Amino acid sequence: MEAPQATALPEEPALIPLPAQVTWESKAYVIPQQNIVCYTGEGKEASQWLKALLLKAGVSVATQTTGDCGNWKIVQDASLEGTLGEEGYQLSIKDDGVLLKAASKAGLFYGIQTLRQMFPPEIENQQLESQVVLRQTSIEDQPEFAWRGTMVDVARSFFGLGYLKRHVDRMALYKMNRLHLHLSDDQGWRIEIKGWPKLTEVGGKASVRRGRAGFLTQEEYKELQDYALARNIIIIPEIDMPGHIYAALMSYPELNCDDYTNLTPKRATPPEMFQDYNVGWSKFCLENPEIYEFVNDVIGEMAEITKGPWIHIGGDEIEDPRYKEFVVKADSIVQTYGKTTIGWEEVSKAEVSSSLISQRWHGKVESVVKDIKTIHSLCSQLYLDHANIPGQENTNNWCKKDGVSLEDTYSFNSDDPNVIGVEAAVWSEFVLSDEMLDNRFWPRAIAAAEIGWTSGEKRNYDAFKQRLGKHGDRLRALDINFYRTPGVDWGTEKAVPGIFSNFTPLSE
Ligand code: TNX
């Protein structure tokens, strides 16, 4: 018989993504009133994240750098990369406290996100009043894939700095690390380009029907990027070219051919806005060499303000005899600015550089470049603009008529060594408010986070649903208007004041 415990044993926390290895002990660790956090190496930021978490638990915390001293120890040691990888961590909770180790700041950050999920969900929006009791454990964890992303289409309907920062926070909780912003399309232009100011003066005022217009200034973009980097998330800017470009063609009519022969059919002509949903009808005047000045300037400015190594050039859904020539040139311009190109899978029809990363969305293109690296965004699993359940209003359904279910997202499996990871995309033709975007991403983005992090043999959909349900209170505390997937026990609903206040239903 076990000795009676002074403190009730907390149940095993429902961690998402599921760690590579975890052992739960039948013992508790009660967080004391006085805490000391010690850190080594580059552990300073981690110690600050941890301090913030502990302060919300209502206890007092001091941080110090001198090694092996407190009840919370954070160890950053680059030599752990061999065992833990770049983003992995080791976390142990024992009688004498908590030890977190990683090779990098990223690994430490993830160890802290794991701890965060062990705290009561109220920690997300209020100061705790009762003592926090953790379950003793030892965890060794690292991601399956380096690329665990989401994409937000801010072009059709705009989502600004405030929403994007919240989105970054939510991604970080689930250990996602890439945020791809679809910054331009036929319906709008969303990033300030100083050399071409009309892009935002004109294109920034446009949007899809009933959508929001607007744009990020370069200052806002940088602010978002720093906010994301502090949470181990790299921003990937996409300027979609040579098609999906009407917002630029509207702002600078000289980028069109004479008589607008590059617009076929002429769904709109400058200076008229395009507010519809059609794709594949606009492109640069590809025989006009001046378009390359534009491409060079825009990529140059984006490269200058982007800290991450990638620039996405789009490249989807366009037919033109000069398409391949364009893609090869755009790829080489990106490289001139010291960045690596990403493009939608169509770009791999051209002889692009071997460093280019192809983002697969329909999976039909056979790449001419051997062993091209790919991001898996297959629409049947990861296009979250599709319905959560059959018949959901205001969703796309061209890829899968019945929508993309939570299980569809979860069912990803790949043994292709060229796949570097996964990315869940929300296109915003019909996603016109923050609440609607929340509904499309969550909880399916959590399934995307787990397929990106946890290896295939450890995943089980039923077990995932069980853990996911236990996140209901946390998602509510975070004010996320998540879709209450049937078949998941989301716990008791609590009214969150004001949450639906600016919801505008779409029926006409
Ligand atoms: C295809 S995926 C598109 C987008 C649309 C989306 C709607 C891709 C590269 N292009 O322009 O918004 O379908 O699901």
Side-chain angles (χ1 to χ4, degrees):
M1 244 184 59
E2 268 190 30
Q5 296 270 329
T7 317
L9 189 63
E11 60 175 279
E12 292 180 9
L15 299 179
I16 305 181
L18 189 69
Q21 288 171 44
V22 42
T23 316
W24 299 109
E25 307 297 342
S26 298
K27 282 175 100 179
Y29 176 69
V30 182
I31 299 182
Q33 264 316 306
Q34 311 288 329
N35 293 271
I36 299 180
V37 175
C38 294
Y39 63 92
T40 68
E42 295 175 357
K44 182 161 186 200
E45 282 97 332
S47 77
Q48 289 163 341
W49 287 115
L50 181 57
K51 182 173 180 182
L53 188 67
L54 290 169
L55 290 176
K56 283 201 257 170
V59 295
S60 72
V61 194
T63 58
Q64 55 191 67
T65 55
T66 35
D68 202 26
C69 50
N71 58 326
W72 300 85
K73 298 187 185 73
I74 294 176
V75 175
Q76 182 269 325
D77 174 358
S79 73
L80 293 169
E81 192 170 327
T83 45
L84 295 174
E86 266 178 58
E87 296 180 297
Y89 64 93
Q90 236 174 33
L91 176 67
S92 73
I93 307 180
K94 297 202 160 66
D95 286 336
D96 60 349
V98 178
L99 171 64
L100 171 61
K101 287 178 162 187
S104 67
K105 291 185 192 182
L108 295 178
F109 181 75
Y110 289 142
I112 289 174
Q113 297 312 305
T114 296
L115 270 168
R116 175 178 169 190
Q117 293 191 2
M118 296 182 190
F119 281 61
E122 300 77 50
I123 196 114
E124 304 296 346
N125 67 348
Q126 66 194 56
Q127 183 87 21
L128 300 183
E129 271 150 25
S130 51
Q131 209 172 35
V132 176
V133 182
L134 302 175
R135 179 100 175 200
Q136 294 197 15
T137 186
S138 69
I139 295 177
E140 187 160 325
D141 195 12
Q142 59 175 300
E144 177 79 354
F145 288 109
W147 194 284
R148 304 177 303 278
T150 69
M151 187 208 82
V152 184
D153 172 8
V154 292
R156 272 57 176 266
S157 184
F158 182 58
F159 296 88
L161 187 59
Y163 187 93
L164 294 173
K165 281 186 171 174
R166 289 199 296 284
H167 185 68
V168 159
D169 282 331
R170 297 160 179 188
M171 288 175 68
L173 172 61
Y174 293 105
K175 304 189 174 77
M176 300 186 99
N177 65 356
R178 305 282 183 259
L179 173 57
H180 166 183
L181 296 175
H182 183 73
L183 290 168
S184 66
D185 213 301
D186 293 323
Q187 295 88 344
W189 188 281
R190 306 295 177 220
I191 180 75
E192 176 189 17
I193 301 293
K194 297 195 197 269
W196 296 75
K198 286 193 216 154
L199 288 171
T200 45
E201 284 165 20
V202 179
K205 296 208 171 87
S207 76
V208 74
R209 179 172 306 124
R210 293 175 299 193
R212 288 190 296 218
F215 64 92
L216 294 171
T217 63
Q218 293 197 357
E219 283 311 307
E220 287 173 319
Y221 177 84
K222 289 185 203 159
E223 185 179 332
L224 175 65
Q225 172 169 252
D226 290 340
Y227 188 87
L229 278 174
R231 290 155 181 79
N232 197 43
I233 293 174
I234 297 178
I235 305 266
I236 297 95
E238 178 189 352
I239 304 296
D240 200 350
M241 305 176 286
H244 287 268
I245 192 74
Y246 183 73
L249 300 172
M250 170 179 80
S251 309
Y252 288 98
E254 61 268 35
L255 300 172
N256 293 275
C257 301
D258 292 344
D259 303 326
Y260 299 115
T261 50
N262 55 311
L263 303 177
T264 35
K266 290 190 181 54
R267 300 200 179 273
T269 39
E272 195 190 347
M273 275 195 232
F274 174 70
Q275 299 206 295
D276 244 304
Y277 312 114
N278 318 70
V279 296
W281 62 279
S282 79
K283 59 189 171 190
F284 283 131
C285 187
L286 286 168
E287 57 266 29
N288 175 359
E290 282 163 41
I291 62 162
Y292 289 103
E293 266 172 53
F294 176 89
V295 174
N296 184 59
D297 289 354
V298 170
I299 292 179
E301 280 197 37
M302 287 316 300
E304 197 175 315
I305 60 174
T306 298
K307 290 187 177 164
W310 306 285
I311 303 274
H312 199 307
I313 60 167
D316 54 317
E317 296 181 308
I318 209 71
E319 295 289 328
D320 190 283
R322 292 181 186 256
Y323 172 79
K324 292 184 192 172
E325 177 195 331
F326 177 87
V327 168
V328 169
K329 283 190 181 157
D331 175 28
S332 82
I333 292 171
V334 170
Q335 294 186 61
T336 314
Y337 290 103
K339 302 289 185 188
T340 298
T341 313
I342 304 180
W344 296 107
E345 64 178 289
E346 288 92 325
V347 299
S348 70
K349 292 185 211 161
E351 283 288 349
V352 290
S353 57
S354 59
S355 62
L356 181 142
I357 300 169
S358 163
Q359 185 164 15
R360 278 168 87 76
W361 59 285
H362 49 59
K364 294 182 188 142
V365 175
E366 188 79 50
S367 171
V368 301
V369 181
K370 205 171 141 337
D371 287 334
I372 195 163
K373 294 269 175 285
T374 55
I375 298 164
H376 179 100
S377 285
L378 275 202
C379 56
S380 54
Q381 297 172 327
L382 288 157
Y383 267 27
L384 308 185
D385 59 331
H386 280 54
N388 279 286
I389 38 156
Q392 183 178 15
E393 275 181 44
N394 302 310
T395 56
N396 269 312
N397 66 0
W398 60 266
C399 179
K400 236 172 140 257
K401 190 166 68 37
D402 285 341
V404 172
S405 67
L406 183 67
E407 187 167 9
D408 290 335
T409 304
Y410 199 77
S411 67
F412 158 83
N413 247 315
S414 170
D415 49 15
D416 179 346
N418 292 316
V419 171
I420 60 169
V422 298
E423 191 176 294
V426 177
W427 302 97
S428 61
E429 294 97 322
F430 306 109
V431 180
L432 312 177
S433 66
D434 295 356
E435 289 75 12
M436 291 172 89
L437 189 54
D438 277 11
N439 168 287
R440 302 302 185 273
F441 268 122
W442 310 100
R444 290 177 293 180
I446 302 177
E450 181 146 307
I451 62 178
W453 184 281
T454 307
S455 70
E457 67 269 17
K458 288 225 146 52
R459 293 198 305 264
N460 171 288
Y461 182 59
D462 287 325
F464 171 72
K465 279 197 293 185
Q466 294 275 329
R467 278 180 288 123
L468 182 60
K470 297 197 177 132
H471 282 234
D473 282 340
R474 193 172 303 271
L475 298 175
R476 282 186 280 264
L478 286 165
D479 248 23
I480 302 179
N481 180 38
F482 63 102
Y483 176 69
R484 269 61 166 179
T485 318
V488 175
D489 178 2
W490 293 108
T492 315
E493 295 296 337
K494 304 180 184 76
V496 182
I499 185 167
F500 294 116
S501 56
N502 44 6
F503 182 69
T504 26
L506 275 183
S507 43
E508 296 188 288

Short mmCIF file of all heavy atoms in Angstrom, two decimals, residues 151 153 156 180 182 185-187 238 240 244 277-280 312 314-317 343-346 359-362 377 379 383-386 395-399 425-430, ligand 1:
data_model
loop_
_atom_site.label_atom_id
_atom_site.label_comp_id
_atom_site.label_asym_id
_atom_site.label_seq_id
_atom_site.Cartn_x
_atom_site.Cartn_y
_atom_site.Cartn_z
N MET A 151 -1.37 29.42 -41.92
CA MET A 151 -1.41 30.51 -42.88
C MET A 151 -2.69 31.30 -42.68
O MET A 151 -3.77 30.71 -42.61
CB MET A 151 -1.36 30.00 -44.32
CG MET A 151 -1.22 31.16 -45.31
SD MET A 151 -1.94 30.82 -46.93
CE MET A 151 -3.67 31.18 -46.61
N ASP A 153 -4.91 34.18 -44.54
CA ASP A 153 -5.15 35.01 -45.73
C ASP A 153 -5.68 36.36 -45.23
O ASP A 153 -6.86 36.48 -44.92
CB ASP A 153 -6.16 34.29 -46.63
CG ASP A 153 -6.64 35.13 -47.81
OD1 ASP A 153 -6.10 36.23 -48.04
OD2 ASP A 153 -7.58 34.67 -48.50
N ARG A 156 -7.87 38.77 -48.67
CA ARG A 156 -9.28 38.86 -49.06
C ARG A 156 -10.04 39.68 -48.04
O ARG A 156 -10.87 40.53 -48.36
CB ARG A 156 -9.89 37.46 -49.18
CG ARG A 156 -9.75 36.80 -50.55
CD ARG A 156 -8.31 36.67 -51.02
NE ARG A 156 -8.22 35.97 -52.29
CZ ARG A 156 -8.00 34.65 -52.41
NH1 ARG A 156 -7.81 33.91 -51.32
NH2 ARG A 156 -7.94 34.11 -53.60
N HIS A 180 2.60 32.02 -41.78
CA HIS A 180 2.65 32.44 -43.18
C HIS A 180 1.51 33.45 -43.39
O HIS A 180 0.36 33.14 -43.09
CB HIS A 180 2.51 31.17 -44.01
CG HIS A 180 2.21 31.32 -45.47
ND1 HIS A 180 2.01 30.22 -46.29
CD2 HIS A 180 2.08 32.38 -46.29
CE1 HIS A 180 1.77 30.62 -47.53
NE2 HIS A 180 1.79 31.93 -47.55
N HIS A 182 -0.54 35.58 -46.08
CA HIS A 182 -0.87 35.76 -47.50
C HIS A 182 -1.25 37.24 -47.65
O HIS A 182 -2.37 37.65 -47.37
CB HIS A 182 -2.04 34.83 -47.84
CG HIS A 182 -2.45 34.84 -49.28
ND1 HIS A 182 -1.71 34.26 -50.28
CD2 HIS A 182 -3.55 35.36 -49.88
CE1 HIS A 182 -2.33 34.42 -51.44
NE2 HIS A 182 -3.44 35.09 -51.23
N ASP A 185 -3.47 39.74 -52.90
CA ASP A 185 -4.28 38.91 -53.78
C ASP A 185 -5.09 39.85 -54.67
O ASP A 185 -4.88 41.08 -54.65
CB ASP A 185 -5.18 37.94 -52.98
CG ASP A 185 -5.37 36.62 -53.74
OD1 ASP A 185 -5.89 36.67 -54.87
OD2 ASP A 185 -5.00 35.55 -53.22
N ASP A 186 -6.02 39.30 -55.44
CA ASP A 186 -6.84 40.15 -56.30
C ASP A 186 -7.64 41.18 -55.50
O ASP A 186 -7.85 42.30 -55.93
CB ASP A 186 -7.82 39.29 -57.10
CG ASP A 186 -7.10 38.40 -58.09
OD1 ASP A 186 -6.09 38.87 -58.68
OD2 ASP A 186 -7.52 37.24 -58.29
N GLN A 187 -8.05 40.77 -54.32
CA GLN A 187 -9.00 41.61 -53.57
C GLN A 187 -8.34 42.65 -52.69
O GLN A 187 -9.04 43.56 -52.21
CB GLN A 187 -9.91 40.72 -52.72
CG GLN A 187 -10.82 39.81 -53.54
CD GLN A 187 -10.19 38.46 -53.89
OE1 GLN A 187 -8.98 38.28 -53.81
NE2 GLN A 187 -11.00 37.51 -54.31
N GLU A 238 4.05 36.34 -47.82
CA GLU A 238 3.79 35.91 -49.20
C GLU A 238 3.29 37.08 -50.02
O GLU A 238 2.30 37.74 -49.65
CB GLU A 238 2.73 34.80 -49.25
CG GLU A 238 2.41 34.39 -50.71
CD GLU A 238 1.22 33.44 -50.86
OE1 GLU A 238 0.69 32.95 -49.85
OE2 GLU A 238 0.81 33.22 -52.02
N ASP A 240 1.80 37.17 -53.57
CA ASP A 240 1.36 36.19 -54.56
C ASP A 240 1.52 36.77 -55.97
O ASP A 240 0.95 37.81 -56.29
CB ASP A 240 -0.11 35.81 -54.27
CG ASP A 240 -0.50 34.47 -54.90
OD1 ASP A 240 0.28 33.93 -55.71
OD2 ASP A 240 -1.62 33.99 -54.59
N HIS A 244 -3.16 36.26 -59.22
CA HIS A 244 -3.71 36.74 -57.93
C HIS A 244 -3.15 38.12 -57.61
O HIS A 244 -2.81 38.39 -56.45
CB HIS A 244 -3.34 35.76 -56.80
CG HIS A 244 -4.09 34.47 -56.81
ND1 HIS A 244 -5.27 34.28 -56.13
CD2 HIS A 244 -3.85 33.30 -57.45
CE1 HIS A 244 -5.70 33.03 -56.32
NE2 HIS A 244 -4.87 32.41 -57.13
N TYR A 277 -15.06 36.24 -55.97
CA TYR A 277 -14.31 35.09 -55.46
C TYR A 277 -13.49 34.37 -56.53
O TYR A 277 -12.73 33.47 -56.21
CB TYR A 277 -15.30 34.08 -54.84
CG TYR A 277 -16.28 34.73 -53.90
CD1 TYR A 277 -17.64 34.78 -54.18
CD2 TYR A 277 -15.81 35.33 -52.73
CE1 TYR A 277 -18.52 35.41 -53.31
CE2 TYR A 277 -16.69 35.97 -51.85
CZ TYR A 277 -18.04 36.01 -52.15
OH TYR A 277 -18.90 36.63 -51.29
N ASN A 278 -13.65 34.76 -57.80
CA ASN A 278 -12.99 34.00 -58.88
C ASN A 278 -11.47 34.07 -58.78
O ASN A 278 -10.92 35.07 -58.35
CB ASN A 278 -13.41 34.56 -60.23
CG ASN A 278 -14.87 34.88 -60.28
OD1 ASN A 278 -15.31 35.83 -59.63
ND2 ASN A 278 -15.63 34.10 -61.01
N VAL A 279 -10.82 33.02 -59.25
CA VAL A 279 -9.36 32.99 -59.28
C VAL A 279 -8.89 32.75 -60.72
O VAL A 279 -9.67 32.35 -61.58
CB VAL A 279 -8.80 31.88 -58.35
CG1 VAL A 279 -9.13 32.15 -56.90
CG2 VAL A 279 -9.32 30.50 -58.78
N GLY A 280 -7.61 33.01 -60.98
CA GLY A 280 -7.01 32.65 -62.26
C GLY A 280 -7.30 33.60 -63.41
O GLY A 280 -7.07 33.26 -64.57
N HIS A 312 7.83 34.01 -49.60
CA HIS A 312 6.90 33.18 -50.38
C HIS A 312 6.45 34.00 -51.59
O HIS A 312 5.97 35.13 -51.42
CB HIS A 312 5.71 32.81 -49.49
CG HIS A 312 4.90 31.63 -49.93
ND1 HIS A 312 4.36 31.52 -51.20
CD2 HIS A 312 4.51 30.51 -49.27
CE1 HIS A 312 3.68 30.37 -51.28
NE2 HIS A 312 3.76 29.75 -50.13
N GLY A 314 4.15 32.92 -53.89
CA GLY A 314 2.84 32.50 -54.42
C GLY A 314 3.03 31.57 -55.61
O GLY A 314 3.55 30.48 -55.48
N GLY A 315 2.59 32.03 -56.78
CA GLY A 315 2.80 31.24 -58.01
C GLY A 315 1.67 30.30 -58.37
O GLY A 315 1.81 29.48 -59.27
N ASP A 316 0.53 30.44 -57.68
CA ASP A 316 -0.56 29.49 -57.92
C ASP A 316 -1.50 29.94 -59.02
O ASP A 316 -1.62 31.12 -59.31
CB ASP A 316 -1.36 29.27 -56.62
CG ASP A 316 -1.85 30.57 -56.01
OD1 ASP A 316 -1.07 31.54 -55.98
OD2 ASP A 316 -3.02 30.63 -55.58
N GLU A 317 -2.16 28.94 -59.61
CA GLU A 317 -3.36 29.11 -60.42
C GLU A 317 -3.23 30.12 -61.56
O GLU A 317 -4.08 30.98 -61.73
CB GLU A 317 -4.53 29.54 -59.51
CG GLU A 317 -4.89 28.48 -58.51
CD GLU A 317 -6.05 28.87 -57.61
OE1 GLU A 317 -6.02 29.94 -57.01
OE2 GLU A 317 -6.99 28.07 -57.53
N GLY A 343 7.14 28.59 -52.75
CA GLY A 343 6.06 28.86 -53.69
C GLY A 343 5.02 27.76 -53.59
O GLY A 343 5.33 26.65 -53.12
N TRP A 344 3.80 28.07 -54.01
CA TRP A 344 2.79 27.01 -54.12
C TRP A 344 3.28 25.99 -55.15
O TRP A 344 4.07 26.33 -56.04
CB TRP A 344 1.43 27.60 -54.51
CG TRP A 344 0.90 28.52 -53.46
CD1 TRP A 344 0.84 29.88 -53.52
CD2 TRP A 344 0.38 28.15 -52.17
NE1 TRP A 344 0.30 30.39 -52.34
CE2 TRP A 344 0.01 29.34 -51.50
CE3 TRP A 344 0.18 26.93 -51.51
CZ2 TRP A 344 -0.54 29.35 -50.21
CZ3 TRP A 344 -0.36 26.94 -50.23
CH2 TRP A 344 -0.72 28.14 -49.61
N GLU A 345 2.85 24.77 -55.04
CA GLU A 345 3.48 23.66 -55.77
C GLU A 345 3.62 23.87 -57.26
O GLU A 345 4.54 23.32 -57.87
CB GLU A 345 2.76 22.34 -55.48
CG GLU A 345 1.32 22.29 -55.96
CD GLU A 345 0.69 20.91 -55.66
OE1 GLU A 345 1.08 19.92 -56.32
OE2 GLU A 345 -0.16 20.86 -54.79
N GLU A 346 2.77 24.70 -57.87
CA GLU A 346 2.89 24.95 -59.32
C GLU A 346 4.29 25.45 -59.71
O GLU A 346 4.75 25.20 -60.81
CB GLU A 346 1.86 25.99 -59.78
CG GLU A 346 0.43 25.50 -59.82
CD GLU A 346 -0.35 25.74 -58.54
OE1 GLU A 346 0.24 25.66 -57.44
OE2 GLU A 346 -1.56 26.01 -58.63
N GLN A 359 5.13 24.28 -51.63
CA GLN A 359 4.02 24.07 -50.69
C GLN A 359 2.90 23.35 -51.42
O GLN A 359 2.25 23.92 -52.30
CB GLN A 359 3.55 25.42 -50.12
CG GLN A 359 2.49 25.25 -49.05
CD GLN A 359 2.29 26.49 -48.20
OE1 GLN A 359 2.73 27.59 -48.56
NE2 GLN A 359 1.60 26.34 -47.09
N ARG A 360 2.69 22.11 -51.04
CA ARG A 360 1.70 21.29 -51.76
C ARG A 360 0.31 21.52 -51.20
O ARG A 360 0.09 21.43 -50.01
CB ARG A 360 2.07 19.81 -51.63
CG ARG A 360 3.12 19.41 -52.65
CD ARG A 360 3.69 18.05 -52.34
NE ARG A 360 2.91 16.95 -52.93
CZ ARG A 360 2.94 16.62 -54.20
NH1 ARG A 360 3.66 17.32 -55.06
NH2 ARG A 360 2.25 15.58 -54.64
N TRP A 361 -0.63 21.83 -52.12
CA TRP A 361 -2.01 22.10 -51.66
C TRP A 361 -3.03 21.24 -52.37
O TRP A 361 -4.07 20.93 -51.81
CB TRP A 361 -2.33 23.59 -51.76
CG TRP A 361 -2.23 24.20 -53.13
CD1 TRP A 361 -1.09 24.50 -53.80
CD2 TRP A 361 -3.31 24.60 -53.98
NE1 TRP A 361 -1.38 25.07 -55.03
CE2 TRP A 361 -2.75 25.13 -55.16
CE3 TRP A 361 -4.70 24.55 -53.87
CZ2 TRP A 361 -3.53 25.63 -56.22
CZ3 TRP A 361 -5.47 25.04 -54.91
CH2 TRP A 361 -4.88 25.57 -56.07
N HIS A 362 -2.77 20.83 -53.64
CA HIS A 362 -3.66 19.85 -54.26
C HIS A 362 -2.91 18.56 -54.57
O HIS A 362 -3.53 17.53 -54.81
CB HIS A 362 -4.37 20.41 -55.50
CG HIS A 362 -3.45 21.09 -56.47
ND1 HIS A 362 -2.39 20.45 -57.06
CD2 HIS A 362 -3.44 22.36 -56.94
CE1 HIS A 362 -1.76 21.31 -57.87
NE2 HIS A 362 -2.36 22.47 -57.81
N SER A 377 0.41 20.97 -47.17
CA SER A 377 -0.81 21.74 -46.84
C SER A 377 -1.98 21.19 -47.62
O SER A 377 -2.84 21.95 -48.06
CB SER A 377 -0.62 23.21 -47.22
OG SER A 377 0.22 23.87 -46.33
N CYS A 379 -5.17 20.27 -49.32
CA CYS A 379 -6.46 20.91 -49.03
C CYS A 379 -7.43 19.97 -48.33
O CYS A 379 -8.23 20.41 -47.50
CB CYS A 379 -7.05 21.49 -50.31
SG CYS A 379 -7.27 20.30 -51.66
N TYR A 383 -6.93 22.61 -45.36
CA TYR A 383 -7.59 23.85 -45.78
C TYR A 383 -8.78 24.10 -44.86
O TYR A 383 -9.89 23.61 -45.06
CB TYR A 383 -8.00 23.76 -47.26
CG TYR A 383 -6.95 24.33 -48.17
CD1 TYR A 383 -5.60 24.32 -47.78
CD2 TYR A 383 -7.26 24.92 -49.39
CE1 TYR A 383 -4.62 24.85 -48.59
CE2 TYR A 383 -6.28 25.46 -50.21
CZ TYR A 383 -4.96 25.42 -49.79
OH TYR A 383 -3.99 25.95 -50.60
N LEU A 384 -8.50 24.90 -43.86
CA LEU A 384 -9.49 25.09 -42.80
C LEU A 384 -10.51 26.19 -43.15
O LEU A 384 -11.33 26.56 -42.31
CB LEU A 384 -8.79 25.37 -41.47
CG LEU A 384 -7.70 24.36 -41.07
CD1 LEU A 384 -7.17 24.66 -39.67
CD2 LEU A 384 -8.19 22.92 -41.16
N ASP A 385 -10.46 26.67 -44.42
CA ASP A 385 -11.58 27.51 -44.90
C ASP A 385 -12.73 26.60 -45.31
O ASP A 385 -13.82 27.07 -45.61
CB ASP A 385 -11.14 28.39 -46.07
CG ASP A 385 -10.64 27.60 -47.27
OD1 ASP A 385 -10.11 26.48 -47.08
OD2 ASP A 385 -10.78 28.09 -48.40
N HIS A 386 -12.46 25.30 -45.35
CA HIS A 386 -13.52 24.32 -45.62
C HIS A 386 -14.29 24.06 -44.32
O HIS A 386 -13.80 24.34 -43.22
CB HIS A 386 -12.91 23.03 -46.19
CG HIS A 386 -12.59 23.15 -47.66
ND1 HIS A 386 -11.81 24.15 -48.17
CD2 HIS A 386 -12.98 22.40 -48.72
CE1 HIS A 386 -11.73 24.01 -49.49
NE2 HIS A 386 -12.42 22.96 -49.86
N THR A 395 -18.37 28.61 -46.13
CA THR A 395 -17.11 27.87 -46.25
C THR A 395 -16.89 27.51 -47.72
O THR A 395 -17.83 27.44 -48.50
CB THR A 395 -17.16 26.56 -45.43
OG1 THR A 395 -18.28 25.79 -45.84
CG2 THR A 395 -17.24 26.85 -43.95
N ASN A 396 -15.64 27.30 -48.07
CA ASN A 396 -15.31 26.77 -49.40
C ASN A 396 -15.54 25.27 -49.39
O ASN A 396 -15.44 24.62 -48.34
CB ASN A 396 -13.84 27.06 -49.72
CG ASN A 396 -13.68 28.38 -50.43
OD1 ASN A 396 -14.39 28.67 -51.38
ND2 ASN A 396 -12.73 29.20 -49.97
N ASN A 397 -15.82 24.69 -50.54
CA ASN A 397 -15.99 23.24 -50.57
C ASN A 397 -15.45 22.60 -51.84
O ASN A 397 -15.75 21.45 -52.13
CB ASN A 397 -17.46 22.87 -50.37
CG ASN A 397 -18.31 23.35 -51.54
OD1 ASN A 397 -17.80 23.94 -52.48
ND2 ASN A 397 -19.61 23.08 -51.50
N TRP A 398 -14.63 23.37 -52.59
CA TRP A 398 -14.15 22.84 -53.87
C TRP A 398 -13.24 21.63 -53.69
O TRP A 398 -13.19 20.75 -54.54
CB TRP A 398 -13.43 23.93 -54.68
CG TRP A 398 -12.23 24.48 -53.97
CD1 TRP A 398 -12.18 25.58 -53.18
CD2 TRP A 398 -10.90 23.93 -53.95
NE1 TRP A 398 -10.92 25.76 -52.66
CE2 TRP A 398 -10.12 24.76 -53.12
CE3 TRP A 398 -10.31 22.81 -54.55
CZ2 TRP A 398 -8.77 24.52 -52.87
CZ3 TRP A 398 -8.96 22.56 -54.31
CH2 TRP A 398 -8.21 23.41 -53.48
N CYS A 399 -12.54 21.55 -52.58
CA CYS A 399 -11.59 20.45 -52.40
C CYS A 399 -12.28 19.23 -51.82
O CYS A 399 -12.05 18.10 -52.24
CB CYS A 399 -10.44 20.89 -51.51
SG CYS A 399 -9.22 19.59 -51.22
N ALA A 425 -4.08 26.17 -43.44
CA ALA A 425 -4.35 27.45 -44.08
C ALA A 425 -5.82 27.85 -43.94
O ALA A 425 -6.71 27.01 -44.09
CB ALA A 425 -4.01 27.35 -45.57
N VAL A 426 -6.05 29.13 -43.66
CA VAL A 426 -7.41 29.65 -43.76
C VAL A 426 -7.44 30.78 -44.79
O VAL A 426 -6.80 31.83 -44.61
CB VAL A 426 -7.98 30.14 -42.42
CG1 VAL A 426 -9.38 30.73 -42.62
CG2 VAL A 426 -8.06 28.99 -41.41
N TRP A 427 -8.17 30.54 -45.87
CA TRP A 427 -8.44 31.56 -46.88
C TRP A 427 -9.65 32.35 -46.42
O TRP A 427 -10.56 31.79 -45.78
CB TRP A 427 -8.68 30.89 -48.23
CG TRP A 427 -7.51 30.06 -48.64
CD1 TRP A 427 -7.35 28.71 -48.47
CD2 TRP A 427 -6.30 30.53 -49.24
NE1 TRP A 427 -6.12 28.32 -48.93
CE2 TRP A 427 -5.46 29.42 -49.41
CE3 TRP A 427 -5.84 31.78 -49.65
CZ2 TRP A 427 -4.17 29.51 -49.97
CZ3 TRP A 427 -4.58 31.88 -50.22
CH2 TRP A 427 -3.76 30.76 -50.37
N SER A 428 -9.69 33.65 -46.78
CA SER A 428 -10.70 34.47 -46.11
C SER A 428 -11.77 35.07 -47.03
O SER A 428 -12.36 36.09 -46.71
CB SER A 428 -10.01 35.58 -45.30
OG SER A 428 -9.26 36.41 -46.16
N GLU A 429 -12.03 34.41 -48.16
CA GLU A 429 -13.13 34.91 -49.00
C GLU A 429 -14.44 35.01 -48.23
O GLU A 429 -15.24 35.90 -48.45
CB GLU A 429 -13.39 33.98 -50.20
CG GLU A 429 -12.29 33.91 -51.23
CD GLU A 429 -11.39 32.71 -50.99
OE1 GLU A 429 -11.11 32.38 -49.82
OE2 GLU A 429 -10.95 32.11 -51.99
N PHE A 430 -14.65 34.02 -47.34
CA PHE A 430 -15.92 33.97 -46.59
C PHE A 430 -15.69 34.11 -45.08
O PHE A 430 -16.60 33.85 -44.30
CB PHE A 430 -16.64 32.63 -46.88
CG PHE A 430 -16.82 32.37 -48.34
CD1 PHE A 430 -16.09 31.38 -48.99
CD2 PHE A 430 -17.72 33.13 -49.09
CE1 PHE A 430 -16.25 31.15 -50.34
CE2 PHE A 430 -17.87 32.90 -50.44
CZ PHE A 430 -17.14 31.91 -51.08
C1 TNX B 1 -7.15 28.04 -53.75
S1 TNX B 1 -4.60 27.34 -52.52
C2 TNX B 1 -6.33 29.15 -53.66
C3 TNX B 1 -6.81 30.36 -52.98
C4 TNX B 1 -8.25 30.24 -52.57
C5 TNX B 1 -8.48 28.87 -51.98
C6 TNX B 1 -9.87 28.66 -51.45
C7 TNX B 1 -4.11 28.39 -53.42
C8 TNX B 1 -2.69 28.42 -53.57
N1 TNX B 1 -5.02 29.17 -54.04
O1 TNX B 1 -6.62 31.48 -53.82
O2 TNX B 1 -8.51 31.23 -51.61
O3 TNX B 1 -8.25 27.91 -52.98
O4 TNX B 1 -10.00 27.42 -50.79
#
